[in-house]
Amino acid sequence: MLSVFRATLEFLGGERDDAPGLLVGRLGTVARCTVWALAIVMIYFFCGQSSKFIYIDF
């Protein structure tokens, strides 16, 4: 189980060229879209434009 999880993370990170069994087919397409959507949401929340932090330089 851990080897499949590791292979999946390596594929998503660009280290492997061949997709593991979890990311093949229709379910794999949904999984990849979910990962990218989550990454885009995390980037949006942490990019600084949506935060309420005010920086004042004296």
Side-chain angles (χ1 to χ4, degrees):
M1 185 172 138
L2 290 176
S3 63
V4 173
F5 181 68
R6 181 179 175 186
T8 303
L9 290 179
E10 288 174 352
F11 175 73
L12 291 174
E15 189 174 332
R16 289 181 178 228
D17 289 333
D18 56 333
L22 289 176
L23 297 179
V24 177
R26 183 173 295 189
L27 183 61
T29 303
V30 172
R32 281 183 288 202
C33 290
T34 303
V35 167
W36 280 106
L38 181 64
I40 290 169
V41 168
M42 295 296 287
I43 290 170
Y44 175 74
F45 281 128
F46 289 106
C47 71
Q49 302 214 359
S50 63
S51 68
K52 302 298 181 201
F53 179 74
I54 299 172
Y55 178 75
I56 300 173
D57 189 16
F58 292 103

